[in-house]
Amino acid sequence: MRLTKLVKSALLATGLTAGLGLSAVAQAADTIKVGILHSLSGTMAISETTLKDTMLMLIAEQNKKGGLLGKQLEAVVVDPASNWPLFAEKARELLTKDKVAAVFGCWTSVSRKSVLPVFEELNGLLFYPVQYEGEESSKNVFYTGAAPNQQAIPAVDYLMDQGVQRWVLAGTDYVYPRTTNKVLEAYLKGKGVAQEDILINYTPFGHSDWQSIVADIKKFGSAGKKTAVVSTINGDANVPFYKELGNQGVSAENIPVVAFSVGEEELSGIDTKPLVGHLAAWNYFMSVDAPANAAFIKQWHAFTKDPKRVTNDPMEAHYIGFNLWVKAVEKAGTTDPDKVIAAMIGLETPNLTGGVAKMLPNHHITKPVLIGEIQDDGQFSVVWETAGLVPGDAWSDFLEGSKDIEADWVTLKCGNYNTQTKTCSGQNY
């Protein structure tokens, strides 16, 4: 009798355990998982933590609307800790272990390059929200940040119109600054700038001792020609860089700096008074007067419970990318990557500056370009903007080997199609 009860108890326990397992699986199937792949520690945390918070806000708002396809969205947050190989490891976990439907993440191009083979191998979806160097178009990536023709080239054109003749290209030592500066160097030379009027400098991530470099910039700028710094310095190295500019009296009047990776979030941690007048080129600024922006800022302050939290350009890129993904999933009626990719092309969603972002066949979007001037409150005053929206160009028109390349995932079904040889030399489908 006792043995029978024990057997029955064991069978009952097994059944209960199995039932709980099935229930857990069913519960998991009732949500659509969304991966968030941003550094919450290390040198890039200064920029990326806010993007994690942005995604949590967007997901929470979508769930308030009823979720997606009748299911709630579930955020899966990981910390690749500013460690580039770890980005690939975490991406693989999100796709294989967590089974996320899409991933929103990365900041630096080296982190994107690290995860790219993983997304292509596993046919995952990555929404990349930061300006980058171009020279890439993957079937599995949607680039919602600026390509060089939507930031770097217009910024240089603006400075040329202001009379700048000498150029310091200062960047962090990795793929984005090096490739962007390669594009800019070719562009400047094409505009007649001599080699001796271009100074290029690279520093490691987290670089802190800027005294000699800023001194070199001052010396370079004392040759009698108006000089500007084009900065692709990333992460927390910007804080001591700008402090040293102030220490050595490098003002916007004598040597203006235009930054491609410094926005409201980075400026919130430093005294901006010595930096007033220096510039940044983005596609969005918190100071833009538009109803959509006002609503977004109000939503952000309510979500963070902090009225002092700023907004910035990569946040808008996630806002755009997330809304496009939601529309594509609704259009496709599924989160299946191939069907979502097909549904994504041609979709439009409002940006935060009063225009419309449209997903193009090269997996880039349309954007306005704005030049902002740093104010003493850490905000930017827009001093110039394009007359309309600029379509993102995946491949530079100014580099040999790139100007003949076209990305088109609809007609050509290729991210690097050579228009001269009529061949696709990379990923296609």
Side-chain angles (χ1 to χ4, degrees):
M1 187 72 163
R2 181 175 177 80
L3 181 61
T4 303
K5 285 183 178 179
L6 286 172
V7 171
K8 284 183 178 180
S9 296
L11 288 172
L12 181 61
T14 303
L16 284 172
T17 302
L20 287 171
L22 288 171
S23 175
V25 171
Q27 187 176 3
D30 285 338
T31 65
I32 296 174
K33 293 184 177 182
V34 179
I36 302 175
L37 183 66
H38 281 302
S39 294
L40 310 180
S41 56
T43 188
M44 291 308 301
I46 184 176
S47 299
E48 293 194 64
T49 300
T50 289
L51 297 188
K52 177 266 295 181
D53 294 338
T54 302
M55 285 306 305
L56 292 178
M57 177 184 74
L58 294 171
I59 289 169
E61 287 297 313
Q62 187 64 31
N63 282 336
K64 287 180 185 177
K65 298 175 185 176
L68 189 57
L69 302 182
K71 300 180 180 181
Q72 291 284 285
L73 301 179
E74 178 185 347
V76 183
V77 180
V78 296
D79 178 17
S82 306
N83 180 322
W84 319 133
L86 190 57
F87 266 88
E89 183 180 323
K90 293 295 185 182
R92 187 172 293 276
E93 286 180 7
L94 286 172
L95 294 173
T96 60
K97 177 184 173 185
D98 299 302
K99 308 290 186 183
V100 299
V103 175
F104 293 79
C106 299
W107 179 292
T108 67
S109 286
V110 68
S111 65
R112 188 193 72 256
K113 293 286 189 184
S114 175
V115 304
L116 185 59
V118 177
F119 281 91
E120 292 182 346
E121 173 197 342
L122 300 174
N123 201 32
L125 291 182
L126 172 66
F127 288 80
Y128 178 63
V130 185
Q131 86 290 349
Y132 86 120
E133 69 282 359
E135 310 305 295
E136 179 182 302
S137 178
S138 170
K139 175 176 76 77
N140 299 91
V141 181
F142 290 98
Y143 306 81
T144 56
N149 75 305
Q150 295 173 309
Q151 184 188 38
I153 299 298
V156 165
D157 284 341
Y158 171 80
L159 290 171
M160 280 186 167
D161 288 343
Q162 304 303 306
V164 172
Q165 296 176 294
R166 299 201 98 194
W167 304 85
V168 179
L169 308 182
T172 303
D173 192 5
Y174 74 106
V175 61
Y176 161 62
R178 284 191 173 273
T179 306
T180 299
N181 287 343
K182 186 178 177 183
V183 171
L184 288 179
E185 186 177 14
Y187 183 71
L188 289 170
K189 288 180 177 178
K191 291 286 187 177
V193 177
Q195 181 64 60
E196 59 264 27
D197 288 328
I198 303 173
L199 174 66
I200 303 176
N201 176 269
Y202 296 105
T203 47
F205 278 99
H207 189 70
S208 59
D209 184 6
W210 290 93
Q211 189 171 356
S212 62
I213 295 172
V214 171
D216 288 343
I217 291 171
K218 285 184 69 176
K219 182 178 179 181
F220 185 76
S222 65
K225 295 181 179 179
K226 187 169 179 60
T227 302
V229 177
V230 178
S231 171
T232 47
I233 299 165
N234 260 264
D236 55 10
N238 277 295
V239 175
F241 171 62
Y242 277 95
K243 283 184 177 178
E244 189 58 35
L245 289 176
N247 291 342
Q248 296 197 31
V250 177
S251 68
E253 286 74 26
N254 49 41
I255 305 178
V257 177
V258 60
F260 298 161
S261 298
V262 173
E264 293 85 349
E265 184 71 15
E266 289 75 20
L267 290 181
S268 66
I270 59 178
D271 178 14
T272 57
K273 288 182 176 61
L275 308 181
V276 170
H278 287 301
L279 307 166
W282 289 103
N283 312 103
Y284 163 90
F285 288 110
M286 184 177 181
S287 60
V288 169
D289 184 12
N293 190 33
F296 182 76
I297 294 169
K298 182 179 180 180
Q299 179 185 349
W300 176 241
H301 288 163
F303 179 79
T304 60
K305 297 179 174 59
D306 183 355
K308 295 183 179 180
R309 286 288 292 273
V310 296
T311 59
N312 63 24
D313 181 284
M315 290 173 65
E316 189 214 27
H318 262 338
Y319 169 86
I320 290 169
F322 180 78
N323 288 336
L324 286 172
W325 174 71
V326 167
K327 284 190 172 188
V329 170
E330 290 174 339
K331 180 180 176 182
T334 176
T335 59
D336 175 79
D338 287 326
K339 293 181 180 178
V340 172
I341 290 170
M344 186 77 68
I345 308 303
L347 289 181
E348 297 181 350
T349 192
N351 62 29
L352 295 177
T353 59
V356 174
K358 180 178 181 178
M359 184 57 69
L360 305 172
N362 63 5
H363 285 199
H364 294 65
I365 64 174
T366 57
K367 289 174 146 324
V369 186
L370 294 77
I371 306 292
E373 189 177 272
I374 298 175
Q375 307 297 294
D376 59 9
D377 62 354
Q379 288 293 318
F380 292 87
S381 174
V382 177
V383 296
W384 179 88
E385 60 184 298
T386 49
L389 299 170
V390 179
D393 191 356
W395 297 90
S396 173
D397 294 333
F398 309 106
L399 289 180
E400 291 299 328
S402 294
K403 58 187 179 182
D404 296 328
I405 305 298
E406 184 178 349
D408 182 340
W409 291 104
V410 176
T411 303
L412 300 175
K413 299 187 182 299
C414 176
N416 50 357
Y417 181 83
N418 190 305
T419 58
Q420 299 302 308
T421 64
K422 310 296 184 185
T423 57
C424 180
S425 58
Q427 182 198 32
N428 57 23
Y429 79 110

